[in-house]
């Protein structure tokens, strides 16, 4: 667009130049300015006309005639304006000589040449003069009179205006000649002013006084006519002869007056208009010219009036022809000019159209070029974008890989730490070392291990938060009691360091919906920070209070506090306050804020003396969705594996003692240390077999243990997969499995539970909890066993209990029923039918029902016998054979052993 405007400007300039080209021709023009004394009389009008005609013949001449209206002042002003306009040549016909002299001289000084015509100025300071010889005119008139007067005679002279040179010069010439002739007398000189009115009154008076006048010489024809008219009024017009000057060929002009006999003669006084223009041009062209240019004059009387008139008519005619031709030329010029303008306009349009066409071609080319450039740029941008995306993807993958590596590593840390903690715990529990220095040091190891564990858990939490994998499970909790419980972890330290550690809970009880595990971490973080930065003898206070729709928790300490200018960054990950000289991971507060936000609550920090954190949690549970609100048992959060500093022992003490029967236990774990630790700790109560995972299934099938503890991340095998296969296999499906893993997230738990495991324990685990879990599961198994042994004949569908062993029992019992009367029916036959080995059948039945398979078969036979005894249809011997006993005696013994009565006694009791 900008270039288009530029193009238009160039076009405009070109067009202007074209039009200016025309104008520049004006550089050769001559501007001629004429100051005309007046334009009221014919003589002046003729002068103007002849100037115009002459100028019109010269296209280069630009003529301007200004009428001074017989005012000397105006004439001076007019000439001043010519000077100001810097015209090329000034032509002046002065009204009077003296008053015009200065302005003419000024023009000469200004470098503008002045041509004086007709009347003169004073002095010689003008460029040139053009006019007839007025002295000679006076003489001619006088000579004519003298030669025409026979004898003496009286004359009257009527002069032009005083102060104008023709009046003075004509009078001078006239008087010179008259005075030379003694018989001729100028009786009187009337001072006229070139106009008729100046004559009448003085001449009337004079003629009345002196009627004997022969000649009257007036300085122009107008005044001569006026003299004739005056004489006529006195009846003297034929007696007196009149002579005038000018000799105009116009109505009432000198020639006509001569022809009409009113004037005896007139002296031609040529206006010199044509000559003046020619002379002005020559002056402008710096040609050599005479200073005084005298026009010819002639006396016209009745002898030559006719001829001169004819000549003048011809001249006038020619002048008229010229004028009309000039008019026609002018019209054509105008037409030419307007056509020229039209042409110029058309040319301009043409140039514009051409320019636009050029511009549009240029635009099309440049647009397509730009388009190509843009396409190239676009292509580059797209490929760069793809490159960046690829790089970002690589970076993301690498970042993920790194994060996964560190997350995996953190998980891996858990097992050895668990081991350390567990070993330390069991060492602390040794009676021998209680109260010794070693016990104190072990507690230190224990505390620091827990600290390390906490840091690892924080790292894992951080990763989980980043991946938005945290879900909340809020349960209604008394915050006062919860706080008291949490404070229990720190009371020892508070006491040791003389820190005034208080809880202000005015209402005594204040319920809120919290996820205890998450809130536990928040408390732990805020309190451990408070203890970290509060000096000995300081104060740490927790206040719990209601605030409109919220429950507020205030943690205030008298520690070093947080600098005001850093308040805004406190909850940013990896932030470390400038006044914090201690080791800090910088993620504790960040996690706390995230956890509080999962609760739809807020946490803020207030600067000042010491740090002050205020948590606000909305009351009720309507801010959570259905899945986020749940029933959480008091122990849930403790069992989930978040071990706190000094709490490990308490848990051990709180749990009921395990029921230590000598059950068989298979531990599947590829960490040898952990495996050995568990084996050591559990072999006193269980018959332990171990597997590193590679032969887990074989070991399970071989030993058919009473219970299994299985790790998840095993070398080459997945603990979930092992569990799934064991649970699918009839031979092992009854065995309770505890999964022990570092994977504490919800998906893993769900995956584990889906694979049919019975309990999910996360690392780090607490040995007492493991022990208790083993006891509980075995106890439940006992309960089930009791149920089965007492409901042998109730063949319920599998779904009724949701327990896969039901199917096994149903199938097994069915086979036994079908072989009820077959005394040769053996355990081997049954195992074969069930597609298990004899030993596996034995162990499975023993595990499920708590008895040997042969006892179970016998039981079924005897239960059936008891049933048959009730019917009264068979003898005891018949019944013995029907239920598969080969000897009635052995039947009776076995029956008495089971029911306490012999079959006979049993029947009579019925
Ligand atoms: C015209 C006129 C003439 C005369 C001349 C003298 O205005 O009066 O009649 O000859 O001026 O300047």
């Amino acid at each position: 667009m900008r270039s288009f405007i530029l193009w238009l400007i160039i076009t405009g300039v070109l067009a202007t130049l074209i039009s200016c080209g025309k104008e520049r021709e004006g550089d050769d023009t001559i501007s001629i300015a004429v100051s005309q004394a007046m334009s009221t009389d014919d003589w002046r009008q003729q002068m103007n006309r002849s100037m115009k005609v002459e100028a019109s013949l010269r296209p280069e001449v630009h003529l301007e005639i200004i009428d001074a209206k017989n005012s000397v002042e105006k004439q001076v002003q007019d000439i001043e304006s010519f000077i100001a306009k810097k015209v090329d040549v000034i032509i002046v016909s002065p009204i009077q000589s003296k008053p015009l002299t200065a302005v003419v001289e000024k023009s000469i000084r200004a470098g503008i040449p002045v041509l004086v015509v007709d009347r003169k100025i004073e002095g010689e300071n003008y460029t040139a003069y053009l006019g007839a010889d007025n002295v000679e005119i006076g003489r001619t008139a006088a000579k004519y009179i003298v030669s025409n007067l026979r004898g003496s005679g009286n004359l009257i002279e009527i002069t032009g205006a005083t102060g104008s040179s023709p009046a003075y010069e004509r009078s001078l010439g006239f008087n010179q000649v008259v005075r030379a002739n003694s018989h001729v007398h100028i009786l009187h000189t009337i001072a006229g002013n070139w106009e008729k009115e100046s004559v009448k009154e003085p001449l009337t008076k004079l003629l009345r006084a002196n009627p004997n006048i022969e000649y009257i010489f007036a300085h122009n024809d107008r005044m001569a006519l006026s003299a004739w008219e005056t004489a006529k009024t006195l009846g003297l017009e034929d007696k007196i002869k009149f002579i005038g000057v000018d000799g105009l060929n116009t109505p009432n002009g000198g020639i006509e007056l001569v022809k009409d006999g009113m004037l005896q003669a007139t002296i031609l006084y040529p206006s010199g208009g044509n000559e003046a223009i020619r002379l002005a041009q020559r002056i402008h062209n710096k040609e050599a010219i005479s200073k005084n240019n005298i026009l010819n004059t002639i006396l016209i009387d009745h002898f030559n009036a006719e001829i001169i008139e004819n000549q003048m008519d011809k001249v006038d005619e020619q002048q008229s022809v010229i004028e009309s031709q000039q008019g026609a030329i002018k019209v054509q010029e105008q037409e030419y000019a307007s056509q020229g303008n039209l042409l110029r306009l058309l040319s301009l349009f043409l140039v514009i159209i051409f320019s636009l066409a050029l511009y549009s071609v240029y635009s099309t080319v440049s647009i397509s070029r730009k388009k190509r450039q843009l396409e190239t740029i676009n292509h580059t941008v797209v490929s760069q974008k793809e490159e960046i995306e690829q790089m970002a993807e690589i970076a993301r993958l690498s970042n993920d890989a790194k994060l996964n590596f560190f997350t995996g590593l953190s998980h891996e840390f858990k097992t050895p730490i668990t081991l350390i903690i567990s070993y330390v715990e069991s060492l602390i529990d040794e009676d021998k070392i209680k109260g010794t220095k070693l016990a104190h040091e072990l507690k230190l190891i224990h505390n620091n291990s827990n600290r390390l564990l906490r840091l690892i858990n924080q790292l894992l939490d951080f990763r989980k938060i980043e991946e938005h994998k945290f879900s909340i499970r809020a349960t209604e909790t008394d915050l006062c009691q919860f706080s008291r419980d949490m404070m229990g972890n720190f009371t020892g330290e508070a006491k040791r360091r003389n820190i005034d550690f208080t809880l202000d809970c005015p209402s005594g009880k204040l319920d809120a919906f919290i996820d205890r595990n998450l809130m536990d971490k928040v408390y732990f973080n805020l309190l451990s920070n408070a203890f970290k930065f509060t000096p000995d003898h300081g104060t740490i206070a927790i206040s719990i209070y209601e605030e409109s729709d919220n429950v507020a928790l205030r943690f205030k300490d008298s520690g070093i506090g947080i600098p005001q200018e850093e308040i805004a960054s406190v909850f940013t990950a990896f932030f470390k306050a400038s006044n914090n000289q201690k080791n800090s991971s910088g993620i504790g507060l960040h996690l706390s804020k995230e956890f509080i936000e999962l609760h739809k609550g807020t946490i803020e920090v207030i600067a000042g003396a010491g740090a002050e954190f205020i948590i606000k949690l909305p009351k009720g549970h309507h801010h959570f969705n259905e899945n986020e609100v749940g029933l959480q048992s008091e122990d849930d959060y403790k069992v989930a594996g978040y071990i706190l500093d000094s709490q490990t022992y308490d848990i051990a003490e709180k749990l009921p003692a395990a029921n230590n029967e000598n059950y068989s236990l298979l531990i599947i774990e590829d960490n040898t240390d952990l495996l050995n630790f568990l084996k050591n700790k559990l072999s006193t109560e269980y018959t332990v077999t171990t597997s590193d995972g590679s032969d887990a299934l074989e070991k399970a099938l071989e030993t058919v243990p009473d219970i299994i503890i299985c790790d998840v991340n095993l070398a080459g095998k997945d603990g979930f997969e092992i569990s799934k296969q064991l649970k699918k296999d009839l031979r092992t499906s009854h065995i309770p499995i505890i999964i022990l893993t570092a994977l504490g997230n919800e998906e893993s738990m769900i995956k584990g539970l889906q694979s049919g495991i019975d309990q999910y324990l996360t690392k780090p685990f607490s040995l007492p909890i493991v022990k208790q879990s083993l006891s509980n599961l075995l106890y439940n198994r006992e309960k089930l066993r009791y149920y089965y042994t007492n409901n042998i004949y109730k063949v319920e569908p599998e779904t009724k209990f949701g327990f896969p062993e039901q199917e096994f029992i149903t199938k097994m019992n069915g086979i036994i029923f079908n072989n009820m009367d077959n005394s040769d029916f053996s355990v081997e036959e049954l195992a074969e039918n069930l597609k298990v080995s004899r030993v596996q059948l034995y162990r499975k039945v023993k595990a499920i029902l708590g008895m040997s398979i042969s006892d179970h078969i016998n039981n079924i036979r005897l239960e059936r016998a008891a049933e048959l005894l009730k019917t009264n249809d068979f003898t005891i011997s018949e019944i013995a054979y029907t239920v598969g006993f080969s000897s009635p005696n052995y039947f009776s013994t076995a029956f008495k052993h089971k029911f306490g009565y012999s079959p006979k006694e049993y029947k009579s009791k019925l």
Side-chain angles (χ1 to χ4, degrees), residues 184-198:
V184 185
H185 302 286
I186 299 172
L187 196 67
H188 197 80
T189 299
I190 294 171
N193 67 356
W194 302 110
E195 303 308 326
K196 282 174 93 175
E197 292 70 35
S198 60

Side-chain angles (χ1 to χ4, degrees), residues 197-254:
E197 292 70 35
S198 60
V199 175
K200 225 171 211 164
E201 206 185 305
L203 186 60
T204 307
K205 271 189 197 162
L206 200 62
L207 288 180
R208 278 203 181 122
N210 304 288
N212 295 323
I213 299 294
E214 270 73 33
Y215 274 94
I216 294 178
F217 169 53
H219 282 190
N220 67 10
D221 292 336
R222 296 197 301 281
M223 290 193 294
L225 175 61
S226 182
W228 179 83
E229 284 166 354
T230 306
K232 196 184 173 198
T233 55
L234 299 171
L236 297 171
E237 75 270 24
D238 294 331
K239 193 176 164 275
I240 305 169
K241 293 183 179 63
F242 301 89
I243 296 178
V245 180
D246 283 348
L248 289 172
N249 182 29
T250 53
N252 279 334

Side-chain angles (χ1 to χ4, degrees), residues 36-38 40-44 93-95 117-119 134 137 160 164-167 170 193-195 219-223 245-246 248 267 269:
Q36 185 56 274
M38 67 216 73
T40 43
D41 60 82
D42 291 342
W43 190 87
R44 298 278 163 188
S93 175
I95 299 166
V117 296
D118 167 31
R119 301 178 191 177
N134 280 302
I137 285 171
S164 68
S165 65
R170 286 174 194 178
N193 67 356
W194 302 110
E195 303 308 326
H219 282 190
N220 67 10
D221 292 336
R222 296 197 301 281
M223 290 193 294
V245 180
D246 283 348
L248 289 172
I267 300 154
Y269 184 60

Side-chain angles (χ1 to χ4, degrees), residues 37-63:
M38 67 216 73
S39 299
T40 43
D41 60 82
D42 291 342
W43 190 87
R44 298 278 163 188
Q45 282 164 16
Q46 194 179 65
M47 190 204 274
N48 291 352
R49 190 174 156 216
S50 56
M51 279 185 181
K52 283 176 192 166
V53 169
E54 189 62 38
S56 69
L57 293 172
R58 299 162 193 278
E60 67 277 19
V61 172
H62 177 258
L63 179 67

